[in-house]
Amino acid sequence: MQHYIVALIADAAPPGVVIAVRALMDFCYLSQATTINEAHCQKILNALKEFHEHKQDIIACCPRRGAQSKQVLDNWHIPKLELMQSVVPSIRQVGSLLQWSADTTEHAHITLIKDPTDSNNNINYDAQICRILDR
């Protein structure tokens, strides 16, 4: 869905909202690159800056409501947005953030545990999984 969100809202939302969402998507995709140099860091910062320049358009267009209070929110006090400020400094310190992803271990868990579990009868489970892993 996130691959298509900008195209989906292009004619339905005001231009400022589309710009903000596109900038946010650019930020997300740029920061997930496997190798990132200083030019990439600048593009990430520019995308974040562009989002911040247009985020008020989202509030003006479609009021956000609090999950618990159901009250209209007129601010951007969202922890994940605060965290986005530290992405480029973190990249500069430790390199690409993709190395901290759980995708590899999640894939290993699926192929080594979940898939074999589907093929056994759940009797003497541990021994069956160990036998499958020993193959």
Side-chain angles (χ1 to χ4, degrees), residues 4-135:
Y4 307 107
I5 192 161
V6 175
L8 289 173
I9 67 169
D11 290 333
V17 173
V18 176
I19 292 169
V21 171
R22 183 194 44 80
L24 199 54
M25 292 294 97
D26 286 350
F27 174 87
C28 291
Y29 287 119
L30 288 168
S31 60
Q32 292 176 19
T34 54
T35 57
I36 299 177
N37 59 24
E38 191 54 39
H40 282 98
C41 284
Q42 195 56 51
K43 287 179 183 179
I44 294 168
L45 288 172
N46 290 342
L48 188 58
K49 180 180 178 224
E50 187 173 29
F51 166 74
H52 283 296
E53 289 170 353
H54 294 278
K55 68 183 178 186
Q56 284 306 115
D57 294 336
I58 295 173
I59 289 178
C61 169
C62 25
R64 300 177 313 118
R65 297 192 177 270
Q68 295 172 349
S69 69
K70 305 297 184 210
Q71 303 257 338
V72 173
L73 301 175
D74 62 351
N75 63 63
W76 282 93
H77 301 294
I78 302 171
K80 286 187 179 183
L81 290 178
E82 294 291 327
L83 180 65
M84 289 167 53
Q85 303 296 327
S86 64
V87 168
V88 171
S90 295
I91 290 170
R92 287 178 174 148
Q93 278 187 327
V94 298
S96 174
L97 299 179
L98 195 59
Q99 65 182 324
W100 305 108
S101 171
D103 291 346
T104 303
T105 54
E106 177 66 20
H107 178 70
H109 176 73
I110 289 169
T111 58
L112 297 176
I113 304 297
K114 287 187 173 184
D115 290 347
T117 300
D118 291 341
S119 66
N120 75 29
N121 60 8
N122 289 326
I123 298 173
N124 201 6
Y125 174 80
D126 292 338
Q128 288 187 32
I129 291 299
C130 289
R131 214 172 301 116
I132 290 169
L133 293 174
D134 284 341
R135 290 181 191 167

